[in-house]
Amino acid sequence: MFWEKDIETMDGDQLYRMQLERLRNTVESASRSSYYGKLFKEKDIHVENIKTLADLRNIPMTTKEDLRKEWPYGFLAASKDDIVRMHSSSGTTGRATVIFHTMKDIDCWTNQLARCMYMAGLRKSDVFQNMMTYALFTGGLGFHYGAEKLGAMVIPAGPGNSKRQIQLMRDFDTTAIHIIPSYALHLTTVFEEVGVDPIKDTRLRIAFIGAEPHSEKMRRRIEDFYGVKSFNSYGLSEMSGPGVAFECPEQNGLHIWEDAYLVEIIDPVTLEPLPDGQEGELVMTTLNREGMPILRYRTQDLTRIIPGTCPCGRTHRRIERIKGRTDDMMILKGVNIFPIQIEKKLMDIAGVGNNFQIILERKGFNDDMIVKVEVQREYFTGDLKELESLRRTIVNELKSDILITPRVELVEPESLPRTEGKAKRVLDNRED
Ligand code: ADP
Ligand code: ZN
């Protein structure tokens, strides 16, 4: 059941002591970087002043912007000779950030991923097809090393080339996949096209899905089509990459590994800490990184700590699936809307296909939301009246949740633009 039982089920006091010791080490090693060295001097921060975990609050938070400004080496805390790898973020919201790892960092991260996958049920006997990009992006290599450490056979398939993916699955009896959820939905149409039914014709049993927000409904769609149990995987390059938080077989929140990170949830406006249960921005501190320790990193991701304990026996707290980034929020006619709200509604409506796109436009003082929705083939070729009634249902369902009336356009399956990486859900054509 457990990869490292003593750590995964560690009691609160023990965990606290471990975190405090690691935090002190982190502050000490961070002070060797030019960024924190200067900051600590300015703010008179010394490791001797870190006596409890609450003392962390005296350290200013670090933002994505700070990392960007210090490009490339401002946060480097180890000798360059000891660095064995660099990675970078995807650059979804602007210029990418870069992270450096020592061999020990890579080992810790790899072990964390093995822990996650083992928790979800991956074993030595599994064949693991990794359909993530192998490059600067952390999703490919991170999982690759983790699955090898666990002892599974890894197929480093990388993304795209859908027909070959299906062929690999069949020829090598793939049992587990790692895939971006929007791509997993797209791949369903390729399965249909080549006449392969993943439930009957493959041995798939586990999917790891992550790297972008997705709703519970979308997960269920993936599980139903592929006949797998699918596990939400959360991570970000600044905190090493995937393996930061992961679902256990309870599928009720993601355990965030508190031996490796200190976790805070803050109000993104006032920056005040929020109690467990309340939604806010996730802020994290690395606890075992040598190459590039980061303190109180504002992830911009919105979630909450799920109060209470998990029946699986792990003591590390759980976060709720990520709602989105703070800057994913669309403000329309004074209403705050996240793309995931739209997705959640759409995935629940029979006839809705695998992809959608939100377009924002401004006419005079009026903001408009256009939602383009791919419909399933049989609807598209069917009765026009039925199509119109589907369109109306979508308008009404969306309106009931987001309170404004979007313009809904139904489009053919597979006609909306898609990427090999994270889906781009929103096109904002409004001028500032
Ligand atoms: P970038 O921030 O440029 O996209 P990364 O590749 O490091 O670069 O991606 C990390 C980000 O991806 C996270 O901060 C989060 O916004 C998003 N993300 C990763 N995993 C998930 C997940 N399981 N659910 C929702 N969002 C996720
Ligand atoms: Zn659990």
Side-chain angles (χ1 to χ4, degrees):
M1 256 259 283
F2 299 97
W3 179 249
E4 293 159 297
K5 185 159 193 239
D6 49 336
I7 292 180
E8 291 170 55
T9 61
M10 195 173 249
D11 75 44
D13 285 349
Q14 245 181 321
L15 189 60
Y16 185 96
R17 282 197 299 275
M18 179 193 249
Q19 288 180 320
L20 184 59
E21 190 194 322
R22 290 186 172 182
L23 173 64
R24 291 170 57 100
N25 291 340
T26 300
V27 170
E28 175 123 20
S29 60
S31 67
R32 282 178 225 129
S33 71
S34 82
Y35 177 79
Y36 284 118
K38 199 163 137 243
L39 182 76
F40 290 176
K41 224 177 245 153
E42 263 168 38
K43 307 274 176 198
D44 205 22
I45 293 164
H46 302 280
V47 68
E48 298 77 48
N49 309 125
I50 310 280
K51 297 204 170 66
T52 69
L53 288 183
D55 294 330
L56 178 73
R57 302 251 166 87
N58 300 326
I59 302 175
M61 291 185 215
T62 302
T63 63
K64 226 179 190 22
E65 212 34 56
D66 296 326
L67 290 182
R68 284 176 181 149
K69 268 197 232 132
E70 297 294 324
W71 175 283
Y73 290 123
F75 277 82
L76 183 68
S79 150
K80 270 194 211 157
D81 290 354
D82 292 327
I83 298 300
V84 298
R85 187 163 349 139
M86 68 171 269
H87 271 292
S88 98
S89 66
S90 309
T92 309
T93 57
R95 188 166 162 198
T97 54
V98 68
I99 300 292
F100 301 101
H101 298 282
T102 63
M103 200 59 235
K104 182 170 162 255
D105 293 339
I106 295 284
D107 287 344
C108 287
W109 179 32
T110 298
N111 188 59
Q112 245 165 265
L113 273 156
R115 189 196 287 174
C116 293
M117 287 186 261
Y118 195 87
M119 170 168 78
L122 195 79
R123 294 294 180 269
K124 269 171 76 67
S125 50
D126 278 293
V127 176
F128 170 63
Q129 189 164 328
N130 191 11
M131 298 158 77
M132 288 278 174
T133 305
Y134 279 71
L136 284 168
F137 175 57
T138 53
L141 284 171
F143 265 83
H144 180 102
Y145 278 78
E148 275 187 2
K149 180 167 175 108
L150 193 152
M153 179 175 113
V154 182
I155 306 179
N161 211 338
S162 302
K163 287 184 183 154
R164 194 182 63 171
Q165 300 280 8
I166 296 171
Q167 195 64 47
L168 286 169
M169 283 175 198
R170 300 190 71 190
D171 289 352
F172 300 99
D173 287 335
T174 302
T175 54
I177 53 174
H178 176 210
I179 188 165
I180 292 204
S182 53
Y183 180 57
L185 281 193
H186 162 66
L187 195 62
T188 63
T189 58
V190 186
F191 267 99
E192 279 160 359
E193 206 182 302
V194 296
V196 177
D197 175 354
I199 297 181
K200 288 209 305 271
D201 306 328
T202 76
R203 301 186 59 191
L204 290 178
R205 60 181 198 92
I206 295 176
F208 305 120
I209 58 171
E212 66 182 11
H214 56 281
S215 65
E216 183 64 25
K217 301 277 177 201
M218 186 146 163
R219 178 238 290 281
R220 295 294 169 213
R221 264 198 188 198
I222 292 169
E223 290 193 327
D224 291 347
F225 184 85
Y226 290 92
V228 296
K229 198 157 175 184
S230 119
F231 297 88
N232 189 348
S233 152
Y234 168 75
L236 60 164
S237 60
E238 293 86 351
M239 293 291 119
S240 293
V244 170
F246 215 86
E247 273 181 335
C248 70
E250 299 293 326
Q251 293 184 315
N252 180 18
L254 295 82
H255 288 285
I256 187 156
W257 299 122
E258 298 188 81
D259 58 319
Y261 309 98
L262 278 181
V263 178
E264 302 170 80
I265 302 282
I266 61 157
D267 180 316
V269 179
T270 63
L271 307 188
E272 286 304 313
L274 294 173
D276 284 6
Q278 269 191 48
E279 184 185 282
E281 181 179 346
L282 178 64
V283 171
M284 300 180 79
T285 299
T286 63
L287 287 179
N288 54 16
R289 245 183 18 198
E290 292 179 334
M292 196 167 148
I294 304 183
L295 295 148
R296 307 194 78 200
Y297 181 64
R298 290 188 62 183
T299 64
Q300 300 187 316
D301 291 326
L302 295 171
T303 183
R304 68 184 186 105
I305 300 279
I306 300 177
T309 53
C310 184
C312 79
R314 289 178 183 80
T315 47
H316 301 237
R317 285 177 297 172
R318 289 163 299 163
I319 55 167
E320 183 119 68
R321 65 173 58 249
I322 304 288
K323 181 179 179 186
R325 304 179 196 239
T326 42
D327 49 11
D328 280 345
M329 190 173 81
M330 304 173 274
I331 306 177
L332 250 101
K333 303 180 175 148
V335 184
N336 300 342
I337 306 163
F338 282 90
I340 201 168
Q341 288 173 265
I342 310 259
E343 186 226 278
K344 206 153 104 190
K345 278 284 170 197
L346 290 177
M347 289 295 137
D348 221 11
I349 303 172
V352 167
N354 295 324
N355 203 358
F356 69 96
Q357 193 177 38
I358 301 163
I359 299 159
L360 303 177
E361 269 169 9
R362 177 163 295 162
K363 286 203 195 85
F365 291 111
N366 247 341
D367 284 351
D368 271 343
M369 177 189 275
I370 300 142
V371 185
K372 291 192 174 177
V373 183
E374 286 185 3
V375 293
Q376 279 165 10
R377 179 93 35 215
E378 57 272 26
Y379 269 78
F380 208 81
T381 45
D383 188 349
L384 270 185
K385 261 199 219 131
E386 227 176 296
L387 213 54
E388 176 55 18
S389 124
L390 174 62
R391 201 188 62 79
R392 285 222 191 105
T393 307
I394 297 174
V395 173
N396 291 334
E397 283 295 317
L398 291 182
K399 192 175 155 194
S400 73
D401 189 52
I402 62 177
L403 307 174
I404 62 164
T405 310
R407 208 165 86 209
V408 171
E409 289 174 15
L410 302 185
V411 300
E412 252 186 279
E414 303 307 301
S415 64
L416 291 175
R418 60 181 78 249
T419 61
E420 272 191 359
K422 305 173 190 234
K424 189 161 169 39
R425 296 292 187 204
V426 183
L427 211 72
D428 194 343
N429 294 332
R430 297 174 298 179
E431 279 163 23
D432 283 335

